[in-house]
Amino acid sequence: MSLLQSLIRFLLGGACHQVATHCLQFEGRPLPLCARCTGMFLGTVLALLGLWAMGQGRRSRLPSWHMGLILATLAGLWVIDGVNSFLFAIGGSFILYRPSNLMRLISGMGMGLTLGVVLYPVYHLAFWHEVDERRVLDEVWRFFLLAVAGALVVMGILHWRSAPYVLWFWLITAAVFFVFSLVNACLVSLLWHRRGVVGRWWHVVPYLVVGLMLALLEMAAMALLRRLLLV
C-alpha cells in the first residue's frame, strides 16, 4: 500500500470503525470502509447524481410525507441492522438475524439513498438564487429508479470479485470526501447567511474548497481521537 493510500485510510478512520471483518475484500485486502459505510457513502452520491440525471433540476423542497415514510423506513432498517450487529459484537447474540456484510451493505445503501434525497434540496436551498419550489422525488417511479440503481451497485460490489482493489478504494474515497465537503459547504453557506447568492455553478466551487478543508480537519481529528481511545 502506498503512502498516500495509507494516509487516506487513516483519514477515513474518522468516518468509519474500519473493522476488517466488517469490510468487503478485494485482492485479499479490506476496503477502507466497512460494508455499511461503503453502501451509505456510495448511495448518497448515487442519489445526488440520479436525481440530477432524472431532471429534478434545482428543486428545493423535501419529499412529500408519503415518500418521507419510505425514506424513514430505509433509515430505520439501517438503525436496526446497526443495533443488531452491535449487540452481536459485544455479546455474541443477535436479536433478529445473524449479522453479515451483505446486510450491512444493503442497509447502508438504503441509508445513503435517503441521505442523498434529503441533501439534494438542501444544497439548492443553501446556494442557488433561483430555485424550483417543487418537492424533490415527487413521483414514486423516480424513487424506484434510484432503488434499482442502488441494487445494481450492491450487486456489482458483491459479484464483481475480480475488480481491482484500487477501483473501489478510490471510488469510496471520492464519495466520502465529496459528501463531507458538500455538507460542510452547505453549513458554511447557511451559517454565514450566504443563502441564495449563487447564480452560476462555478460560484459554488469556493464553498466546496472550504468544505473539503473542513472535512480534512474533521476527519483527521476524529481519526486521531479514535486512535487515542483505542490505545
Side-chain angles (χ1 to χ4, degrees), residues 4-219:
L4 178 59
Q5 287 181 331
S6 297
L7 176 60
I8 290 174
R9 177 177 284 275
F10 168 75
L11 290 174
L12 294 181
C16 177
H17 56 68
Q18 297 178 321
V19 174
T21 56
H22 293 187
C23 299
L24 298 166
Q25 294 197 10
F26 288 84
E27 296 182 348
R29 291 182 287 175
L31 293 178
L33 297 183
C34 73
R36 187 178 295 108
C37 289
T38 294
M40 184 174 68
F41 283 102
L42 290 180
T44 302
V45 175
L46 177 64
L48 292 170
L49 293 177
L51 291 171
W52 171 78
M54 286 189 289
Q56 293 287 276
R58 297 176 185 170
R59 299 197 181 197
S60 59
R61 296 183 64 192
L62 293 172
S64 61
W65 68 269
H66 59 274
M67 185 57 64
L69 287 177
I70 297 176
L71 298 175
T73 299
L74 292 178
L77 292 175
W78 177 80
V79 173
I80 291 172
D81 186 67
V83 171
N84 188 67
S85 183
F86 175 74
L87 292 177
F88 182 76
I90 63 174
S93 61
F94 47 89
I95 56 176
L96 294 175
Y97 52 84
R98 191 175 190 85
S100 68
N101 284 339
L102 171 62
M103 291 305 300
R104 293 184 182 103
L105 183 62
I106 293 174
S107 64
M109 178 60 67
M111 185 60 171
L113 295 178
T114 298
L115 293 174
V117 170
V118 172
L119 186 56
Y120 189 87
V122 171
Y123 157 73
H124 291 107
L125 186 65
F127 288 110
W128 291 92
H129 177 65
E130 295 182 2
V131 296
D132 186 339
E133 296 292 340
R134 288 178 294 174
R135 294 184 183 276
V136 70
L137 210 62
D138 55 346
E139 297 172 299
V140 176
W141 67 268
R142 298 182 189 276
F143 173 77
F144 176 76
L145 288 181
L146 285 182
V148 169
L152 290 175
V153 172
V154 168
M155 292 174 61
I157 295 174
L158 292 175
H159 296 291
W160 188 17
R161 304 310 301 170
S162 61
Y165 172 83
V166 293
L167 171 65
W168 292 118
F169 179 91
W170 289 112
L171 281 177
I172 291 170
T173 298
V176 172
F177 283 113
F178 177 74
V179 171
F180 267 82
S181 299
L182 185 59
V183 171
N184 284 333
C186 291
L187 290 174
V188 168
S189 176
L190 294 172
L191 293 175
W192 284 359
H193 305 289
R194 301 290 294 172
R195 173 184 165 186
V197 298
V198 169
R200 296 289 187 272
W201 68 265
W202 56 83
H203 295 161
V204 181
V205 173
Y207 292 92
L208 290 175
V209 171
V210 173
L212 176 59
M213 294 173 62
L214 291 174
L216 291 171
L217 292 173
E218 292 161 356
M219 295 172 70

